[in-house]
Amino acid sequence: MRALTISAHGTLDRLELRDDVPVPALARPTDVRVRIEAAALNHLDLFVVGGMPGVHIVPPWVLGADGVGVVEAVGAAVDGVAIGDRVVLNPGVSDRTCDYCLAGEQPLCPRFRLLGEHLPGTLAEFVVVPAANVRAIASDVPAEVAAAFPLATLTAWRMVVSRAHVRPVDHVLIWGIGGGVALAALQIAKRIGATVWVTSGSDEKLARARAMGADHLLNHRRQDVPKVISDATGKRGVDVVIDSVGEATWARSLQALGRAGRLVTCGGTSGPMLQTDVRRLFWNQWTIMGSTMGNDSEFDAVVGELRAGRLAPPVDSVFDLADGRAAFERLVTGAQFGKIVVRVGASR
Ligand SMILES: [Zn+2]
C-alpha cells in the first residue's frame, strides 16, 4: 500500500512516500481495518519525525494520528461495527484491561499508545485499530472535516469540559489561536457560553477567530497579554487558561490567571521546562492541570457534536498523499489556521 513513512528520525528530509508498505493485518479479533479517505497532521507528527525519548519506530514507520475512512475488514469478535461503515478514528489506543481503563479513563492507561507514534498511523491507504476506537459518521460529512476532527477536538473537549469545567460565567484565555486544539477549545468554550480571549501573533488569524466567536483579541507580539487582561477585568484576570505552548507562554499564563483560576495544559510546543512561583500558586489558590487526549465517553460526546453538525474544525489546507512533504512543511511554518489535511483515498 501507499504510505507516508520515515525509516529514521531527523528533518523532513526523512519523509518518504512508499508504495510497498504491507497492508496491515488484523492483529486481534477485536480489530478493524479501515481504508483511509483522509488524514490530518498534528504537532505530534513533527515530534515523531524528529524523534522522542522512549519512542522507537520500526521502519518503514507510517506517520499520522487522525483519519477518516471506511471499514473494510472486521475481526471475529467485533460487533457494532460493520464492513462498509464510514468511521472517524480515536487515535488513542488503550489496553482496556487496567484499572484506569475499567474506570473509563483510557488516557491514563499505562499502556496508552497513539497512532503514528507507538502504532502505525493514518497517512496510509489502510490502518488497523481496535473496533472500540472507531465511531460511525454519515457519508455527507466532508472527509477533510472528519479527518481534521478527532485528536484536536477530543483533546480540547477534555481540557475545557472535563478538566477545567468551564462555565458560562468564566473568562477563558486561549493561546495561539490557529492551532487545532486552540481552535477547538474556542468553539467548545463559546458553545458553553464563556467569554473567550484569544491570542495570536497574526492579526489575520485574530480576525478569523473573531468570526468564530472570540470575544477579545490579543496580538501577543504587540500587546502585553496579562496587562491588557488585568486592565480590562479590573485586575480580576481570567478564570481559565488553555495553554499548549509551554515555555514561551507559561509565565504570562500565570500572570493572567485570576484567583481560584484553572490552568490546563496539553503540551509544550515551545519547550517543556516551566517555572512557577509557589507563593502565587497557593495564595491565589490556582489549579494547574495536565490533560491529554480523551476517554471513550468524551469521544462519544465529540462525535455526537460532529454528527449534529457542530464543532466542525476549520481546515487550513488539503494536500494529496503524494505531496505529504509539502503538508509537513506547511505545519512547520506555523502559518496555518486550522488543520492541515492529507487526502489519501478516493472521495465519497
Ligand atoms: Zn488500560
Side-chain angles (χ1 to χ4, degrees):
M1 68 175 182
R2 291 206 313 156
L4 191 63
T5 68
I6 54 171
S7 289
H9 296 296
T11 66
L12 296 188
D13 287 338
R14 300 289 192 188
L15 292 175
E16 202 179 4
L17 179 70
R18 300 176 66 124
D19 58 12
D20 62 348
V21 178
V23 173
L26 301 181
R28 290 179 189 79
T30 47
D31 283 345
V32 300
R33 185 165 58 229
V34 176
R35 179 188 290 272
I36 295 289
E37 289 176 57
L41 300 190
N42 291 282
H43 218 89
L44 168 70
D45 299 303
L46 292 181
F47 287 135
V48 174
V49 173
M52 279 186 289
V55 171
H56 303 286
I57 59 162
V58 181
W61 187 253
V62 181
L63 301 161
D66 272 326
V68 61
V70 176
V71 174
E72 62 107 51
V74 299
V78 170
D79 58 8
V81 181
I83 290 171
D85 283 355
R86 187 171 189 242
V87 295
V88 285
L89 308 180
N90 178 347
V93 176
S94 55
D95 64 11
R96 303 198 164 265
T97 58
C98 74
D99 289 347
Y100 298 106
C101 286
L102 295 177
E105 282 291 17
Q106 292 82 14
L108 293 171
C109 180
R111 282 166 293 276
F112 193 73
R113 294 175 295 171
L114 285 171
L115 299 182
E117 181 179 353
H118 316 94
L119 295 166
T122 54
L123 286 162
E125 290 179 275
F126 298 97
V127 67
V128 167
V129 295
N133 282 67
V134 306
R135 296 291 184 278
I137 58 161
S139 59
D140 62 355
V141 181
E144 291 83 2
V145 168
F149 185 78
L151 192 150
T153 315
L154 181 60
T155 301
W157 186 275
R158 186 170 174 90
M159 294 174 84
V160 172
V161 175
S162 309
R163 300 289 278 142
H165 296 293
V166 168
R167 306 158 300 170
V169 295
D170 285 333
H171 282 244
V172 179
L173 169 63
I174 302 171
W175 287 99
I177 206 70
V181 172
L183 285 166
L186 166 62
Q187 290 173 290
I188 295 164
K190 285 315 299 176
R191 183 150 152 61
I192 291 168
T195 301
V196 181
W197 300 71
V198 298
T199 90
S200 175
S202 154
D203 290 333
E204 189 201 332
K205 289 187 185 182
L206 290 171
R208 294 177 72 174
R210 166 81 83 194
M212 292 173 64
D215 299 282
H216 301 283
L217 313 176
L218 297 164
N219 186 313
H220 58 234
R221 293 224 170 95
R222 281 203 314 271
Q223 290 175 284
D224 181 340
V225 168
K227 182 166 191 318
V228 173
I229 290 174
S230 177
D231 290 348
T233 59
K235 296 191 178 172
R236 193 172 166 280
V238 295
D239 304 288
V240 173
V241 178
I242 302 293
D243 190 331
S244 61
V245 184
E247 274 182 16
T249 51
W250 192 259
R252 286 176 288 168
S253 287
L254 295 179
Q255 286 164 13
L257 198 58
R259 286 162 188 263
R262 295 96 79 197
L263 188 161
V264 194
T265 173
C266 68
T269 52
S270 67
M273 300 313 290
L274 313 167
Q275 274 199 327
T276 304
D277 183 336
V278 72
R279 296 165 299 184
R280 287 177 50 74
L281 172 60
F282 78 75
W283 190 251
N284 291 301
Q285 305 201 45
W286 287 332
T287 305
I288 295 178
M289 289 176 268
S291 191
T292 197
M293 302 300 293
N295 63 28
D296 282 2
S297 56
E298 289 156 347
F299 192 50
D300 285 332
V302 295
V303 173
E305 297 289 310
L306 180 67
R307 288 173 180 150
R310 294 187 292 261
L311 304 185
V315 173
D316 172 78
S317 47
V318 182
F319 296 83
D320 285 330
L321 186 60
D323 301 322
R325 181 180 172 134
F328 272 80
E329 283 169 349
R330 173 85 181 151
L331 181 61
V332 168
T333 66
Q336 71 275 14
F337 187 91
K339 301 295 289 182
I340 298 165
V341 172
V342 177
R343 260 238 174 254
V344 178
S347 183
R348 279 165 57 113

